[in-house]
Amino acid sequence: MKTFISILLALISFNIQAQTDSAKTLLWQITGPGITTPSYLYGTIHLMCPDDIVVNTELRAKFYSTKQLYLELDMDDPSILMKTMQQMTMKNDTTLKQLLPPKQYDSVVSAFQNISGLPLTMMQKMKPQLIESAIYPKLLGCDGAQAWEQKFMQMAKANDMEIKGLEEVEDQLKIFDEIPYKAQAEEFAESVLHIDSVKKSFNKMLDLYKQKDLDALSKMMDETGTPSDFMDMLLNNRNKKWIPEIIEQAKLKPTFFAVGAAHLGNTNGVINLLRQKGYTVTPVFY
């Protein structure tokens, strides 16, 4: 499972097998029964340099042809920060120090401080994979890291579009209670202590994302050997829960759905699941 969850947190995670249509695009049109005006599906990445987040004329036109924006979470919810903070700590007063051998723990504390500039001792009770997210801005090589979600929110607000979420933050973060804390701690330690390797993989993932090459990203992620139960928790089960809401909202009004690109492809991805329900999902090149 080496580096899989790490890349997921930055997304991030692409375990996309046999990308639909072998199309080099991140934008897909949704039409079908009950949909009077097309909706759109976009595969995001949750961390990039601001200069790399470019909305060209075609993407902008498709976005503004819709009436509402759906993200994985309603990032416009004023209570989301409080809800997130409530879900960040491990259960039963578990600490990172308890999950790692003493010598390894000391090395991780030092390395994390050097990478992030943050004291790991102040984050003892946080779920390890959430702590790991702190190292990714440092890998980008630029200031002010942004997410595509932020850009789309700015565009939506400029056009008075409503912003909603496909799931609650509690549902998203409880996944990190289901993945064993020890496995998370070991993954976190591996990433921090081998940061050069992580940076190399991270930059490769970013380059492939910029090329919109989901097939190549699939091949890259196939090498991680991710356990199927983890894949179900992180991606597949969530995809299945989203489908009824995506269909309902697309019928109500043209909607722009922007979710992590990991959720788009493979048999259990959003594209294929929508097609199984009788909807047409076609690539849009931009």
Side-chain angles (χ1 to χ4, degrees), residues 3 7 20 26 57-59 91 94 100 108 113 118 121 127 147 164 171 185 192 194 198 232 235 239 245 260 265 278:
T3 75
I7 295 177
T20 311
L26 301 169
T57 302
E58 179 69 10
L59 178 56
K91 295 180 179 179
T94 305
L100 296 173
V108 169
Q113 176 80 44
L118 301 172
T121 52
K127 297 168 186 176
K164 299 180 180 180
D171 296 328
V192 171
H194 299 88
V198 172
D232 286 341
L235 295 177
N239 294 345
E245 181 71 2

Side-chain angles (χ1 to χ4, degrees), residues 196-267:
D196 289 341
S197 176
V198 172
K199 185 173 183 177
K200 182 178 179 180
S201 295
F202 181 75
N203 287 334
K204 179 181 178 181
M205 181 270 293
L206 278 177
D207 287 342
L208 294 176
Y209 180 84
K210 293 174 188 178
Q211 297 168 30
K212 308 170 192 174
D213 193 341
L214 302 185
D215 282 338
L217 285 161
S218 170
K219 183 178 180 181
M220 175 183 173
M221 290 308 303
D222 281 344
E223 298 172 357
T224 65
T226 309
S228 60
D229 55 342
F230 284 11
M231 182 61 64
D232 286 341
M233 286 187 282
L234 294 165
L235 295 177
N236 299 335
N237 295 342
R238 295 166 64 203
N239 294 345
K240 293 173 184 176
K241 289 180 181 178
W242 293 350
I243 295 303
E245 181 71 2
I246 290 174
I247 292 173
E248 179 181 353
Q249 293 302 321
K251 288 180 178 179
L252 287 174
K253 63 179 70 175
T255 303
F256 195 93
F257 300 96
V259 301
H263 295 279
L264 267 59
N266 82 27
T267 303

Side-chain angles (χ1 to χ4, degrees), residues 105-160:
Y105 172 78
D106 291 341
S107 297
V108 169
V109 168
S110 177
F112 183 81
Q113 176 80 44
N114 291 335
I115 296 166
S116 69
L118 301 172
L120 185 56
T121 52
M122 300 295 290
M123 306 178 189
Q124 278 296 305
K125 295 185 178 182
M126 285 178 60
K127 297 168 186 176
Q129 294 299 165
L130 300 183
I131 304 174
E132 187 168 334
S133 63
I135 72 174
Y136 281 90
K138 302 299 181 180
L139 302 182
L140 283 171
C142 63
D143 294 326
Q146 280 192 331
W148 268 101
E149 288 80 1
Q150 291 173 275
K151 184 65 175 180
F152 287 137
M153 285 178 63
Q154 292 169 2
M155 292 170 62
K157 290 180 179 180
N159 210 41
D160 293 323

Side-chain angles (χ1 to χ4, degrees), residues 68-77 80 162-169 171-172 241-242 245-246 249 255-259:
Q68 63 180 351
L69 170 64
Y70 257 78
L71 306 173
E72 292 180 27
L73 301 173
D74 180 359
M75 303 300 293
D76 201 37
D77 179 357
I80 194 167
E162 191 166 4
I163 301 169
K164 299 180 180 180
L166 289 168
E167 62 188 3
E168 299 293 331
V169 67
D171 296 328
Q172 191 173 94
K241 289 180 181 178
W242 293 350
E245 181 71 2
I246 290 174
Q249 293 302 321
T255 303
F256 195 93
F257 300 96
V259 301

Side-chain angles (χ1 to χ4, degrees), residues 79-93:
S79 68
I80 194 167
L81 180 59
M82 179 66 71
K83 291 177 180 178
T84 299
M85 292 179 65
Q86 291 172 347
Q87 297 294 322
M88 292 185 76
T89 57
M90 291 184 278
K91 295 180 179 179
N92 303 320
D93 289 325

